[in-house]
């Protein structure tokens, strides 16, 4: 019922009324957009966002406005609703839009390439890293069945909370101990 109401509201919205953008309270629109995403969208179903962006793509100001709303709600790393799955259609709409020139598409195309990398269920990109002792290795050299890669900013409060949750997780500690023992056994051969 809720998603049906959202579809009806979106269908009644006049995407040609660009005066709306000048007259509306953007903070309230951000709240409304976040509520729509949080309450009515399935995290693995980008179809409603695709439909929204198809309608917003009928005018340059609306495309830019709804892309901005989506960026704040779906792409900002501090947003609790961040979702590459739901943001990819926004970037695709910008990249495919005949209303934008090639220069205006550079940033969305870059972000689209980044969002499509390291998708759930796909093998992560290989990269080289340096250990504290100065030796260098590659991710693909690990040879583990599973790898938990956690890159964080020590000054980020949310990152610190996640780090503490990982460190205090009995399951992860058990898996780490088994993996570490297994790794050490292979290194001494």
């Amino acid at each position: 019922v809720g998603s049906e109401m959202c579809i009806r509201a979106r269908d009644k919205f006049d995407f040609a009324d660009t005066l709306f953008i000048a007259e509306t309270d953007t903070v309230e629109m951000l709240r409304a957009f976040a509520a729509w995403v949080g309450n009515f969208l399935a995290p693995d179903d980008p179809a409603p966002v695709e439909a929204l962006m198809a309608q917003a793509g009928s005018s340059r100001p609306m495309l830019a406005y709804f892309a901005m709303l989506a960026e704040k709600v779906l792409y900002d790393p501090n947003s609790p609703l961040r979702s590459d799955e739901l943001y990819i259609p926004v970037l695709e709409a910008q990249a495919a839009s005949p209303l934008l020139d090639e220069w205006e598409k550079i940033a969305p195309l870059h972000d689209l390439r980044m969002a499509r990398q390291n998708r759930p269920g796909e093998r992560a990109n290989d990269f080289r890293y340096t250990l504290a002792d100065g030796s260098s290795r590659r991710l693909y050299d690990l040879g583990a069945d599973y790898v938990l890669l956690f890159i964080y900013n020590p000054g980020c409060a949310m990152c610190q909370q996640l780090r503490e949750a990982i460190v205090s997780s009995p399951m992860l500690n058990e898996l780490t101990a088994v993996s570490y023992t297994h790794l050490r056994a292979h290194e001494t051969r």
Side-chain angles (χ1 to χ4, degrees), residues 3 13 19 37-38 42 57 71 75 85 87 89 104-106 110 127 143 147 156 163 167 176 179 181 186 188:
S3 60
F13 185 82
L19 186 58
V37 169
E71 180 181 0
Y75 196 61
E85 191 70 31
Y87 191 58
E104 294 168 306
K105 293 182 181 184
I106 290 173
H110 169 76
F127 61 90
V147 174
C156 166
R163 183 187 176 284
V167 168
T176 303
S179 295
T181 303
H186 284 293
T188 57

Side-chain angles (χ1 to χ4, degrees), residues 75 88 91 105-119 125:
Y75 196 61
I88 285 173
L91 297 168
K105 293 182 181 184
I106 290 173
L109 285 169
H110 169 76
D111 291 345
L112 182 58
R113 278 192 301 277
M114 295 296 105
R116 287 181 172 158
Q117 292 185 25
N118 301 316
R119 304 292 298 141
N125 293 344

Side-chain angles (χ1 to χ4, degrees):
V1 174
S3 60
E4 194 175 301
M5 286 176 19
C6 280
I7 290 168
R8 279 197 219 127
R10 184 194 68 218
D11 289 343
K12 290 180 182 179
F13 185 82
D14 184 4
F15 285 91
D17 180 12
T18 57
L19 186 58
F20 164 82
I21 296 170
E23 293 177 346
T24 193
D25 180 352
T26 299
V27 173
E28 284 303 314
M29 279 300 292
L30 278 167
R31 286 186 187 130
F33 189 83
W36 177 65
V37 169
N39 295 319
F40 301 109
L41 299 189
D44 60 345
D45 181 15
V49 178
E50 290 170 0
L52 173 71
M53 293 310 295
Q55 288 180 296
S58 63
S59 85
R60 185 182 176 91
M62 285 294 184
L63 177 65
Y65 189 76
F66 280 92
M68 177 275 300
L69 293 175
E71 180 181 0
K72 300 287 186 203
V73 173
L74 299 173
Y75 196 61
D76 186 303
N78 296 313
S79 172
L81 298 170
R82 180 182 166 87
S83 168
D84 285 344
E85 191 70 31
L86 297 178
Y87 191 58
I88 285 173
V90 175
L91 297 168
E92 289 172 337
Q94 290 175 297
S97 175
L99 303 174
L100 302 180
D101 66 34
E102 65 181 292
W103 302 108
E104 294 168 306
K105 293 182 181 184
I106 290 173
L109 285 169
H110 169 76
D111 291 345
L112 182 58
R113 278 192 301 277
M114 295 296 105
R116 287 181 172 158
Q117 292 185 25
N118 301 316
R119 304 292 298 141
E122 295 179 12
R123 190 172 186 189
N125 293 344
D126 192 18
F127 61 90
R128 187 166 286 289
Y129 60 96
T130 304
L131 297 171
D133 67 6
S135 63
S136 178
R137 299 215 176 111
R138 291 182 29 228
L139 175 64
Y140 288 1
D141 292 340
L142 290 174
D145 291 333
Y146 299 96
V147 174
L148 174 62
L149 177 63
F150 180 61
I151 299 171
Y152 76 105
N153 173 354
C156 166
M158 178 58 81
C159 298
Q160 190 61 36
Q161 289 174 356
L162 287 171
R163 183 187 176 284
E164 289 169 12
I166 289 169
V167 168
S168 65
S169 167
M171 179 189 72
L172 289 176
N173 283 320
E174 182 180 329
L175 289 172
T176 303
V178 169
S179 295
Y180 184 75
T181 303
H182 181 73
L183 179 64
R184 287 290 172 216
H186 284 293
E187 286 181 353
T188 57
R189 288 184 188 166

